[in-house]
Amino acid sequence: MPRTYQDPTIDIFPSARIDTVSPLIFSGFIEHLGRCIYGGILPATRETFPYTPRKPCPKDQFTETPSNLLTSQGFRKDVLEVIRDEVAVPAMRWPGGNFVSSYHWEDGVGPLEGRKRRPELAWGFEESNVFGTDEFISWCREAKCEPYICLNMGTGTLSEALHWVEYCNGTGDTYYANLRRKHTGQDEPYKVKYWSLGNEVYGPWQVGQQTASAYATIAHQWAHAIKLFDPSVILVSCGLSGLDEWDGVVIDRLVDQVDLHSVHLYTGFGDRDRSQAEKEFGRSVHGPEAAEYALEIARGLINKARVAKRVSKPIKIAFDEYGVWDETVGTPHNGLEQFYNLTDALAMACWLNVFVRQADLVEMACIAQSVNVISPIITGPTGLFKQTIYYPLYLFSKYMRGGTSIKVEVDSPVFEGETLPTWISTIKGKPKLLDVSATLHPKALCVAVVNRSEDTTYTDVPLRIASWDAERVKVGRVEAHEIWHEDVKARNGWESKEEVAVKSSTEEWKGSWTFKKHSFTLLVIEF
Ligand code: AHR
Ligand code: AHR
């Protein structure tokens, strides 16, 4: 059949290099919330589970985890293995999230018997403080992650923050550096490099909400003082989604004080009465377009501020909370445990496409969250299963990490339905049904393609690699990794662990590929 204008094409430009993909886009986030820390990082116990008498937890949460499933330090081996050996998560953000805004780090260090149990204001539970700074650092060492600590700018003070940095990084003969030595029995500092100045301080849900200008004034003082103590740290300002007025005010004020600007965004269906269920697929898979537009605007805001303040060093983005979250499904009542389907996995692949395409701006991205809480991994007392959204993360990390992001032009039909938010289609422009990113590696070209059409398979789509014909680059085999299921609502669970997983195959490269309806395909084209 002759091709028509409706038939998509993908043009790839290996010489149009965007930037190296930062390995830190595969970072994670663990918060004291639900079963993330207690149940995900450590086994859950009656003492640690963040329940209250008013919100008891199901009894079956407390089946003991046998000690052979734990490391010598008491951490869950299975979760560590996925995080370290499979996804190779490079950095982990902790302790929140909203939790941090009433967290006092000194409650969580020193002998366990002396640790104070505290009311937890963000999620309404109780915090045992069994997992604190020393446990977090030990866990990060086992997981081979860089620790990334978020400071309490809700109930916390600058002096408390300075003490925390001193506790972690102090090398002198001073009180908190010595306290760390006393607790660890070692001289070596923790050398925590990444610190962020508060979490979502703009939000009415936050303990200690502030206006943008009030926040900017205080964060400026904190940044100045923290860098006096340790000029080597990477400081992250608290942003909103990247395109809000808040971001403009904060960036203008802090651009010469910080190293990264953080943004948060979640995508998902988000319809309370679920009467609009037929819109679910389109809204979910196109949602990450909003993040890309916000990043483009944030880039402008940052550069405007850099010009005004003559800041020559680039200020990049820490997208330190992103993911698929339907707040009507993952709620504080169920510890934000959401079960994901194929639609959500496709959205996750689109999220990662955004980070690859914006490689020159996005230095770090932390999936929210790394275990149990709106997460790719769900644990039980003696095992875990991987949700659908795990597989795109795994594939991008395995194949595209360390590559150079290159330009791609896609000609494909567009999505005519309703997007969430609607401005994606009205302002950014109707999303293309094929969502693509590409990376160049020494011996391979990786192309990640999400077919966001719910019902159309695109057959033999040409992937034209610009200039390679003329340069006679000899393309050999292609490895294809595909995530697909006939049913967009298919999901994994304890009984059907691999209902949605990766199917891989290898063949000669013929210059085109067939992208199944509602599928994700990662092609590794060898040359
Ligand atoms: O990840 C869940 C919550 O979402 C975090 O605690 C908060 O920062 C955000 O609102
Ligand atoms: O359907 C997947 C692949 O698409 C086929 O193996 C390839 O020949 C086609 O282009």
Side-chain angles (χ1 to χ4, degrees):
M1 268 217 317
R3 299 186 68 78
T4 73
Y5 77 97
Q6 284 281 7
D7 294 327
T9 55
I10 298 172
D11 286 292
I12 299 163
F13 300 92
S15 59
R17 299 182 183 199
I18 299 168
D19 209 335
T20 307
V21 174
S22 167
L24 292 170
I25 68 165
F26 302 109
S27 298
F29 168 37
I30 50 174
E31 176 170 6
H32 292 247
L33 158 55
R35 297 193 304 128
C36 182
I37 302 283
Y38 307 110
I41 300 297
L42 291 170
T45 65
R46 280 207 172 277
E47 189 208 357
T48 59
F49 197 89
Y51 68 92
T52 69
R54 273 185 300 122
K55 289 182 189 158
C57 273
K59 290 201 179 51
D60 59 8
Q61 307 272 3
F62 302 104
T63 309
E64 230 174 87
T65 302
S67 59
N68 64 319
L69 302 181
L70 304 175
T71 67
S72 58
Q73 315 234 44
F75 302 128
R76 287 187 68 121
K77 275 188 196 162
D78 52 358
V79 173
L80 267 167
E81 279 161 13
V82 174
I83 287 178
R84 179 191 54 219
D85 307 335
E86 295 185 28
V87 184
V89 172
M92 190 58 78
R93 179 173 182 254
W94 172 82
N98 299 336
F99 169 79
V100 77
S101 297
S102 56
Y103 176 62
H104 295 291
W105 70 271
E106 285 192 69
D107 289 342
V109 296
L112 277 178
E113 315 80 74
R115 296 200 190 169
K116 299 184 182 80
R117 194 174 174 91
R118 298 281 195 193
E120 197 291 293
L121 301 181
W123 306 102
F125 295 112
E126 291 177 2
E127 172 56 44
S128 64
N129 281 303
V130 165
F131 189 85
T133 305
D134 302 315
E135 290 77 20
F136 173 59
I137 299 293
S138 306
W139 184 86
C140 285
R141 300 302 187 238
E142 286 209 38
K144 299 197 166 76
C145 290
E146 279 281 341
Y148 171 21
I149 295 182
C150 183
L151 294 166
N152 172 1
M153 289 195 73
T155 60
T157 62
L158 172 55
S159 103
E160 184 185 7
L162 284 167
H163 296 159
W164 205 358
V165 180
E166 180 194 331
Y167 183 84
C168 291
N169 293 359
T171 53
D173 181 17
T174 56
Y175 178 77
Y176 285 101
N178 286 332
L179 187 64
R180 181 200 66 239
R181 292 184 183 101
K182 186 175 148 202
H183 292 156
T184 62
Q186 280 164 15
D187 185 42
E188 189 63 7
Y190 288 153
K191 295 191 186 124
V192 176
K193 193 158 122 190
Y194 296 95
W195 295 83
S196 63
L197 298 163
N199 175 74
E200 299 188 351
V201 182
Y202 49 83
W205 56 88
Q206 208 64 228
V207 173
Q209 181 196 14
Q210 295 186 42
T211 62
S213 62
Y215 168 77
T217 300
I218 297 169
H220 196 274
Q221 294 165 357
W222 283 43
H224 174 71
I226 291 167
K227 291 229 171 174
L228 286 177
F229 178 76
D230 185 350
S232 73
V233 297
I234 306 271
L235 282 184
V236 186
S237 53
C238 168
L240 209 160
S241 71
L243 54 63
D244 290 81
E245 206 182 320
W246 171 283
D247 295 283
V249 172
V250 168
I251 290 168
D252 279 347
R253 196 68 206 285
L254 295 180
V255 75
D256 54 352
Q257 288 278 345
V258 298
D259 306 278
L260 298 169
H261 179 70
S262 108
V263 293
H264 291 178
L265 192 74
Y266 293 92
T267 59
F269 171 55
D271 210 297
R272 271 179 200 282
D273 63 8
R274 303 206 80 83
S275 65
Q276 307 287 305
E278 82 283 358
K279 293 181 180 158
E280 180 162 354
F281 182 85
R283 281 191 188 173
S284 300
V285 295
H286 297 101
E289 295 262 328
E292 190 149 26
Y293 202 57
L295 284 170
E296 282 160 14
I297 292 172
R299 181 195 294 277
L301 293 176
I302 290 171
N303 288 340
K304 170 179 154 272
R306 284 174 67 205
V307 169
K309 290 203 171 171
R310 313 267 188 281
V311 176
S312 46
K313 102 175 163 181
I315 304 297
K316 295 193 178 183
I317 295 287
F319 215 123
D320 55 18
E321 283 186 34
Y322 79 91
V324 183
W325 178 17
D326 184 337
E327 288 186 53
T328 66
V329 176
T331 69
H333 295 287
N334 56 29
L336 276 62
E337 293 196 22
Q338 183 172 340
F339 294 92
Y340 294 105
N341 58 26
L342 175 66
T343 303
D344 301 316
L346 301 181
M348 182 55 74
C350 292
W351 266 109
L352 294 160
N353 272 345
V354 170
F355 300 142
V356 171
R357 285 191 295 258
Q358 300 285 333
D360 55 340
L361 181 62
V362 180
E363 174 72 10
M364 180 193 279
C366 305
I367 187 173
Q369 298 191 3
S370 290
V371 54
N372 289 330
V373 171
I374 43 174
S375 170
I377 309 171
I378 296 286
T379 65
T382 56
L384 58 78
F385 76 86
K386 291 162 183 166
Q387 300 227 57
T388 61
I389 58 169
Y390 169 80
Y391 293 99
L393 188 65
Y394 167 76
L395 288 175
F396 273 84
S397 171
K398 178 155 185 199
Y399 295 103
M400 295 176 95
R401 176 190 290 248
T404 302
S405 175
I406 55 178
K407 286 247 155 77
V408 178
E409 287 294 342
V410 179
D411 186 9
S412 97
V414 294
F415 177 64
E416 300 287 351
E418 187 186 293
T419 55
L420 188 69
T422 34
W423 61 251
I424 293 174
S425 37
T426 54
I427 299 177
K428 183 173 195 267
K430 288 181 181 168
K432 291 177 180 171
L433 288 173
L434 290 187
D435 187 58
V436 186
S437 74
T439 51
L440 191 60
H441 305 255
K443 299 297 297 164
L445 170 67
C446 289
V447 189
V449 182
V450 185
N451 181 355
R452 300 192 284 201
S453 170
E454 196 170 354
D455 44 29
T456 307
T457 292
Y458 293 109
T459 312
D460 294 330
V461 176
L463 282 91
R464 300 181 296 218
I465 307 170
S467 79
W468 277 20
D469 276 355
E471 287 168 19
R472 295 187 192 289
V473 175
K474 201 172 160 340
V475 179
R477 294 179 323 158
V478 58
E479 250 181 61
H481 307 279
E482 187 187 64
I483 301 174
W484 183 79
H485 194 285
E486 179 62 40
D487 181 3
V488 295
K489 292 201 159 59
R491 61 193 210 185
N492 299 340
W494 290 110
E495 272 75 51
S496 54
K497 286 192 178 179
E498 303 256 295
E499 190 69 14
V500 178
V502 180
K503 289 209 180 69
S504 302
S505 61
T506 305
E507 60 183 81
E508 281 302 302
W509 176 241
K510 296 196 264 331
S512 65
W513 202 260
T514 294
F515 300 104
K516 291 199 185 101
K517 62 179 179 181
H518 58 252
S519 67
F520 170 59
T521 312
L522 197 153
L523 298 173
V524 183
I525 304 169
E526 296 168 4
F527 59 86

Short mmCIF file of all heavy atoms in Angstrom, two decimals, residues 89-114:
data_model
loop_
_atom_site.label_atom_id
_atom_site.label_comp_id
_atom_site.label_asym_id
_atom_site.label_seq_id
_atom_site.Cartn_x
_atom_site.Cartn_y
_atom_site.Cartn_z
N VAL A 89 19.74 2.98 40.86
CA VAL A 89 19.29 4.32 41.26
C VAL A 89 20.49 5.10 41.80
O VAL A 89 21.14 4.67 42.75
CB VAL A 89 18.17 4.20 42.34
CG1 VAL A 89 17.82 5.55 42.92
CG2 VAL A 89 16.94 3.51 41.74
N PRO A 90 20.82 6.25 41.22
CA PRO A 90 22.07 6.93 41.58
C PRO A 90 21.97 7.85 42.80
O PRO A 90 22.97 8.11 43.46
CB PRO A 90 22.39 7.76 40.34
CG PRO A 90 21.07 8.04 39.72
CD PRO A 90 20.17 6.88 40.05
N ALA A 91 20.77 8.37 43.10
CA ALA A 91 20.64 9.26 44.26
C ALA A 91 19.26 9.06 44.87
O ALA A 91 18.30 8.71 44.17
CB ALA A 91 20.81 10.72 43.86
N MET A 92 19.18 9.25 46.18
CA MET A 92 17.91 9.05 46.88
C MET A 92 17.60 10.26 47.74
O MET A 92 18.40 10.69 48.55
CB MET A 92 18.02 7.79 47.76
CG MET A 92 16.72 7.33 48.36
SD MET A 92 15.44 6.98 47.13
CE MET A 92 15.94 5.36 46.53
N ARG A 93 16.40 10.82 47.50
CA ARG A 93 15.93 11.97 48.28
C ARG A 93 15.21 11.48 49.53
O ARG A 93 14.46 10.51 49.48
CB ARG A 93 14.99 12.79 47.40
CG ARG A 93 14.38 14.01 48.05
CD ARG A 93 13.63 14.80 46.99
NE ARG A 93 13.04 16.02 47.50
CZ ARG A 93 11.73 16.20 47.72
NH1 ARG A 93 10.88 15.22 47.48
NH2 ARG A 93 11.28 17.35 48.18
N TRP A 94 15.38 12.18 50.65
CA TRP A 94 14.83 11.78 51.94
C TRP A 94 14.85 12.99 52.85
O TRP A 94 15.70 13.87 52.62
CB TRP A 94 15.73 10.64 52.52
CG TRP A 94 15.41 10.24 53.93
CD1 TRP A 94 14.45 9.39 54.36
CD2 TRP A 94 16.09 10.71 55.11
NE1 TRP A 94 14.47 9.28 55.71
CE2 TRP A 94 15.47 10.09 56.21
CE3 TRP A 94 17.14 11.61 55.35
CZ2 TRP A 94 15.86 10.32 57.53
CZ3 TRP A 94 17.53 11.84 56.66
CH2 TRP A 94 16.90 11.20 57.74
N PRO A 95 14.07 13.16 53.89
CA PRO A 95 13.05 12.25 54.42
C PRO A 95 11.64 12.62 53.94
O PRO A 95 10.69 11.93 54.26
CB PRO A 95 13.13 12.50 55.93
CG PRO A 95 13.51 13.94 56.06
CD PRO A 95 14.35 14.27 54.84
N GLY A 96 11.48 13.69 53.21
CA GLY A 96 10.19 14.06 52.61
C GLY A 96 10.48 15.02 51.50
O GLY A 96 11.65 15.38 51.29
N GLY A 97 9.48 15.43 50.77
CA GLY A 97 8.08 15.30 51.02
C GLY A 97 7.56 16.19 52.16
O GLY A 97 8.30 16.86 52.87
N ASN A 98 6.25 16.14 52.22
CA ASN A 98 5.54 16.92 53.22
C ASN A 98 5.99 16.57 54.64
O ASN A 98 5.96 17.41 55.53
CB ASN A 98 4.03 16.67 53.09
CG ASN A 98 3.50 17.10 51.74
OD1 ASN A 98 4.09 17.95 51.06
ND2 ASN A 98 2.38 16.54 51.32
N PHE A 99 6.42 15.33 54.82
CA PHE A 99 6.85 14.87 56.13
C PHE A 99 7.94 15.77 56.72
O PHE A 99 7.96 16.06 57.91
CB PHE A 99 7.37 13.43 56.04
CG PHE A 99 8.09 12.95 57.28
CD1 PHE A 99 7.37 12.53 58.39
CD2 PHE A 99 9.48 12.94 57.34
CE1 PHE A 99 8.02 12.10 59.54
CE2 PHE A 99 10.14 12.51 58.48
CZ PHE A 99 9.40 12.09 59.59
N VAL A 100 8.86 16.24 55.86
CA VAL A 100 10.04 16.93 56.37
C VAL A 100 9.69 18.24 57.07
O VAL A 100 10.44 18.70 57.93
CB VAL A 100 11.09 17.18 55.26
CG1 VAL A 100 10.71 18.33 54.35
CG2 VAL A 100 12.45 17.45 55.89
N SER A 101 8.53 18.82 56.73
CA SER A 101 8.23 20.15 57.24
C SER A 101 7.93 20.22 58.72
O SER A 101 7.78 21.30 59.28
CB SER A 101 7.09 20.78 56.42
OG SER A 101 7.53 20.91 55.09
N SER A 102 7.81 19.02 59.37
CA SER A 102 7.77 19.07 60.84
C SER A 102 8.72 18.02 61.43
O SER A 102 8.51 17.51 62.53
CB SER A 102 6.34 18.88 61.37
OG SER A 102 5.79 17.68 60.88
N TYR A 103 9.78 17.73 60.68
CA TYR A 103 10.74 16.71 61.12
C TYR A 103 11.95 17.36 61.78
O TYR A 103 12.57 18.26 61.20
CB TYR A 103 11.20 15.89 59.92
CG TYR A 103 12.27 14.85 60.22
CD1 TYR A 103 12.01 13.81 61.11
CD2 TYR A 103 13.53 14.93 59.63
CE1 TYR A 103 12.99 12.86 61.40
CE2 TYR A 103 14.51 13.98 59.90
CZ TYR A 103 14.23 12.94 60.79
OH TYR A 103 15.19 12.00 61.06
N HIS A 104 12.29 16.88 62.96
CA HIS A 104 13.50 17.36 63.64
C HIS A 104 14.52 16.23 63.64
O HIS A 104 14.32 15.21 64.29
CB HIS A 104 13.16 17.83 65.05
CG HIS A 104 12.25 19.01 65.03
ND1 HIS A 104 12.66 20.25 64.58
CD2 HIS A 104 10.94 19.13 65.32
CE1 HIS A 104 11.64 21.10 64.61
NE2 HIS A 104 10.58 20.43 65.05
N TRP A 105 15.58 16.45 62.91
CA TRP A 105 16.51 15.36 62.65
C TRP A 105 17.15 14.80 63.91
O TRP A 105 17.48 13.62 63.97
CB TRP A 105 17.59 15.81 61.64
CG TRP A 105 18.56 16.82 62.21
CD1 TRP A 105 18.44 18.17 62.21
CD2 TRP A 105 19.80 16.52 62.88
NE1 TRP A 105 19.50 18.75 62.84
CE2 TRP A 105 20.35 17.76 63.26
CE3 TRP A 105 20.48 15.34 63.20
CZ2 TRP A 105 21.57 17.85 63.92
CZ3 TRP A 105 21.70 15.44 63.87
CH2 TRP A 105 22.23 16.67 64.22
N GLU A 106 17.25 15.64 64.94
CA GLU A 106 17.90 15.13 66.17
C GLU A 106 17.05 14.07 66.87
O GLU A 106 17.57 13.28 67.66
CB GLU A 106 18.23 16.28 67.12
CG GLU A 106 19.44 17.08 66.64
CD GLU A 106 19.97 18.03 67.70
OE1 GLU A 106 20.51 17.54 68.71
OE2 GLU A 106 19.82 19.24 67.52
N ASP A 107 15.74 14.04 66.55
CA ASP A 107 14.89 12.98 67.09
C ASP A 107 15.29 11.60 66.56
O ASP A 107 14.92 10.58 67.12
CB ASP A 107 13.42 13.20 66.69
CG ASP A 107 12.80 14.39 67.41
OD1 ASP A 107 13.36 14.82 68.44
OD2 ASP A 107 11.75 14.86 66.94
N GLY A 108 15.98 11.60 65.43
CA GLY A 108 16.24 10.33 64.74
C GLY A 108 17.70 9.90 64.79
O GLY A 108 18.12 9.09 63.96
N VAL A 109 18.49 10.41 65.73
CA VAL A 109 19.87 9.92 65.86
C VAL A 109 20.13 9.49 67.30
O VAL A 109 19.40 9.87 68.21
CB VAL A 109 20.93 10.98 65.42
CG1 VAL A 109 20.81 11.30 63.94
CG2 VAL A 109 20.83 12.26 66.26
N GLY A 110 21.19 8.70 67.48
CA GLY A 110 21.53 8.22 68.82
C GLY A 110 20.85 6.90 69.12
O GLY A 110 20.14 6.35 68.28
N PRO A 111 21.09 6.38 70.35
CA PRO A 111 20.57 5.06 70.71
C PRO A 111 19.05 4.96 70.48
O PRO A 111 18.32 5.89 70.83
CB PRO A 111 20.90 4.94 72.20
CG PRO A 111 21.98 5.93 72.44
CD PRO A 111 21.84 7.02 71.42
N LEU A 112 18.62 3.84 69.92
CA LEU A 112 17.21 3.65 69.58
C LEU A 112 16.28 3.86 70.77
O LEU A 112 15.21 4.44 70.64
CB LEU A 112 16.99 2.25 69.01
CG LEU A 112 17.28 2.05 67.52
CD1 LEU A 112 17.05 0.60 67.13
CD2 LEU A 112 16.43 2.99 66.67
N GLU A 113 16.74 3.39 71.95
CA GLU A 113 15.87 3.47 73.15
C GLU A 113 15.50 4.93 73.46
O GLU A 113 14.42 5.21 73.97
CB GLU A 113 16.54 2.90 74.40
CG GLU A 113 17.27 1.59 74.25
CD GLU A 113 18.66 1.79 73.64
OE1 GLU A 113 19.59 2.28 74.31
OE2 GLU A 113 18.78 1.43 72.44
N GLY A 114 16.40 5.84 73.11
CA GLY A 114 16.15 7.23 73.50
C GLY A 114 15.38 8.03 72.45
O GLY A 114 15.11 9.21 72.64
#
